[in-house]
Amino acid sequence: DRICCWQQHLVPNLMSPPLTYGELCKKHSDVVCVCRYLDAYLKDFLTSAESHFMPGLRVVYYVFTDSPERVPKIQLGPQRSIVIMKVEKHKRWQDISMMRMKTISNIIESHIRHQARYVFCMDVDQIFVGRFGSEALGDSVALMHSFFYHSPKFMYTYDRNPNSVAFMEKGDLYYHAAVFGGKWENVQHLAESCYLGIMTDKRNQVEALWHDESHLNKYFWIHKPSKVLSPEYCWATEVGYRRDLHFPRLVWAEKQYGILRT
């Protein structure tokens, strides 16, 4: 394993899928997957998750949607369940993206903290193609963005507006907001902190460059994650072949912005 300068654990991208680690976690690791609902992707996301996400562990999928009646029926395996949460409808996709932080914090407080130790928050415009298992669990888990993991730091798209709470002059890595997780109390703290930053920006008529992702990067700059997942845990195929990535686990689905961002 490689250890970064602040003693965080990096799940290496050369690691073969573990066969026994999940067995060590079965008795004490319940996982909640919080999904930001997109009608065009949810069925493929959940179907592939049933094959690859946290095999052998009890998993509860929380799906956020403003149209619960449109959630597809999925055949779930043993120790798997789904909870559909209706949320407020927003006109702009940017507001959907940012306001999920409040929803995540609220649902952890009202439900998740009473039933699970770990939470993973994921966009559903992704498809599982390999094991995404208990090796990814940790106190505070972040994901290296596949577009930036080999890029020089000056190319990282941090928010550079000093009027925004998300403003960053420098950072260590660029993290992707499509996947983050950890123990429920740490995820709740992250979500609350990002939401407070977003609302402060709104009061000041400011919007961070990449919305909740900008605030998430600021949070992980101040509160270092205990584990960083390699880009194979959320890979963009358009990046192309990379010889140091051998085991993709989750890949971006083809974007349908014409449908989704209207």
Side-chain angles (χ1 to χ4, degrees), residues 16-54:
S16 60
L19 298 177
T20 59
Y21 185 53
E23 297 298 321
L24 301 176
C25 297
K26 280 186 178 179
K27 294 184 179 180
H28 56 81
S29 295
D30 295 336
V31 183
V32 169
C33 180
V34 179
C35 310
R36 181 168 52 158
Y37 173 69
L38 297 176
D39 184 55
Y41 305 114
L42 183 60
K43 184 176 182 179
D44 289 342
F45 176 88
L46 289 175
T47 301
S48 63
E50 280 297 283
S51 298
H52 301 293
F53 182 69
M54 298 296 162

Side-chain angles (χ1 to χ4, degrees), residues 18-241:
L19 298 177
T20 59
Y21 185 53
E23 297 298 321
L24 301 176
C25 297
K26 280 186 178 179
K27 294 184 179 180
H28 56 81
S29 295
D30 295 336
V31 183
V32 169
C33 180
V34 179
C35 310
R36 181 168 52 158
Y37 173 69
L38 297 176
D39 184 55
Y41 305 114
L42 183 60
K43 184 176 182 179
D44 289 342
F45 176 88
L46 289 175
T47 301
S48 63
E50 280 297 283
S51 298
H52 301 293
F53 182 69
M54 298 296 162
L57 301 184
R58 187 177 72 89
V59 173
V60 180
Y61 302 104
Y62 276 83
V63 178
F64 299 158
T65 175
D66 57 18
S67 302
E69 69 281 358
R70 298 174 66 184
V71 175
K73 301 292 184 180
I74 301 294
Q75 184 67 41
L76 301 177
Q79 299 191 87
R80 303 274 171 147
S81 59
I82 185 169
V83 177
I84 302 167
M85 306 297 297
K86 187 172 183 178
V87 295
E88 179 183 356
K89 186 173 184 177
H90 296 280
K91 293 183 178 180
R92 300 191 316 142
W93 68 265
Q94 294 93 335
D95 290 326
I96 296 173
S97 180
M98 290 186 289
M99 291 302 102
R100 68 167 172 160
M101 289 298 184
K102 178 182 179 182
T103 305
I104 290 169
S105 176
N106 289 345
I107 202 65
I108 289 175
E109 182 62 30
S110 63
H111 291 73
I112 294 172
R113 66 191 297 264
H114 305 294
Q115 62 182 189
R117 293 184 63 197
Y118 296 98
V119 181
F120 265 97
C121 303
M122 299 181 175
D123 293 351
V124 299
D125 53 343
Q126 308 175 90
I127 299 174
F128 291 89
V129 296
R131 176 191 167 96
F132 194 123
S134 53
E135 77 282 351
L137 298 176
D139 289 347
S140 177
V141 182
L143 170 77
M144 296 172 65
H145 200 297
S146 58
F147 275 103
F148 298 105
Y149 83 107
H150 273 177
S151 300
K153 291 184 179 181
F154 75 86
M155 294 183 66
Y156 293 174
T157 54
Y158 298 135
D159 188 278
R160 307 295 185 180
N161 181 0
N163 295 319
S164 172
V165 175
F167 169 68
M168 295 177 64
E169 291 186 275
K170 60 181 180 179
D172 296 300
L173 299 170
Y174 190 84
Y175 301 108
H176 197 174
V179 176
F180 60 92
K183 291 184 176 178
W184 68 260
E185 57 266 41
N186 295 325
V187 177
Q188 185 178 40
H189 187 260
L190 180 156
E192 288 176 347
S193 297
C194 289
Y195 176 68
L196 288 174
I198 289 166
M199 295 310 295
T200 299
D201 278 1
K202 280 185 173 291
R203 287 194 296 271
N204 294 329
Q205 298 184 321
V206 175
E207 190 166 282
L209 178 63
W210 289 112
H211 317 109
D212 58 328
E213 185 167 275
S214 295
H215 289 275
L216 178 138
N217 270 274
K218 179 65 172 288
Y219 180 89
F220 280 136
W221 170 238
I222 298 171
H223 308 276
K224 305 300 185 188
S226 64
K227 180 175 288 187
V228 178
L229 302 179
S230 76
E232 66 183 353
Y233 283 85
C234 183
W235 183 244
T237 54
E238 55 263 47
V239 174
Y241 172 75

